[in-house]
Amino acid sequence: MAKQDIRTLEDVKLLVNTFYGRVQQDTLIGPIFNTILDGRWEAHLEKMYGFWQTLLLDQHSYFGSPFPPHATLPVEADHFDAWLNLWTNTVREFFEGEKAEEAILRGEKMATMFLSKITYYRNTNARPLS
C-alpha cells in the first residue's frame, strides 16, 4: 500500500506516539526521557502534537519555547544521533511526501541547533531565556 504524506492532526499523533514509544524503549535515550518525563508523558505528547502540527500543518497550536526545557539535559552527539535515527525511521515507515521530508529536515536542524546550544550553555556561565 502506498504511503501518504503527513496531512492531518491524526497523522501527527501517529508519528509522535510511535516515535516517543520507541524513544521510551531505546537503551541510550530512553532512560533520560523516562526519568525526566516520569508521570508527565501524556502532557509531553500533547505538547508535541501541537509543536509538530504548528510546524508541519501550519495550524498554530504550539505556544512556547522548545529549547529551554532541554538546555541542561545530560546529552551528547550520540544521543542526538539516536534521536534523529528514530525520528527519521519513524517518519519514513509511515509517510512519504513533502511534509514527511520537511519533518525529517526540521528534525535534523533541531538536533543540530539543540546540541550546539546545549554545548554552549554547558561550557559557559550563560543561561537560556525561559
Side-chain angles (χ1 to χ4, degrees):
M1 186 159 96
K3 297 175 192 172
Q4 296 184 10
D5 208 355
I6 301 167
R7 297 183 300 198
T8 67
L9 178 57
E10 290 309 310
D11 293 339
V12 169
K13 287 182 177 184
L14 171 64
L15 174 59
V16 167
N17 288 338
T18 304
F19 169 70
Y20 280 106
R22 292 172 179 171
V23 164
Q24 290 177 57
Q25 300 301 314
D26 187 83
T27 57
L28 180 63
I29 61 175
I32 296 168
F33 277 85
N34 290 326
T35 298
I36 291 170
L37 294 173
D38 185 38
R40 298 184 311 115
W41 269 107
E42 189 173 325
H44 182 70
L45 292 174
E46 287 292 329
K47 191 176 286 189
M48 293 300 92
Y49 303 151
F51 179 78
W52 288 105
Q53 181 183 30
T54 298
L55 290 180
L56 299 175
L57 304 180
D58 297 322
Q59 297 173 6
H60 198 77
S61 55
Y62 174 80
F63 301 90
S65 251
F67 177 73
H70 300 85
T72 59
L73 290 180
V75 293
E76 304 293 339
D78 56 335
H79 296 95
F80 281 98
D81 290 344
W83 182 93
L84 192 55
N85 186 52
L86 288 173
W87 177 252
T88 300
N89 289 339
T90 305
V91 171
R92 291 230 160 94
E93 179 179 342
F94 292 101
F95 304 101
E96 64 181 25
E98 183 180 325
K99 293 296 179 180
E101 292 306 311
E102 181 180 348
I104 291 168
L105 179 63
R106 286 182 179 269
E108 290 169 350
K109 288 182 177 188
M110 195 176 334
T112 299
M113 179 194 62
F114 276 29
L115 177 59
S116 174
K117 290 176 84 169
I118 287 170
T119 301
Y120 171 79
Y121 287 115
R122 187 179 290 151
N123 293 328
T124 67
N125 289 327
R127 298 188 64 153
L129 299 175
S130 297

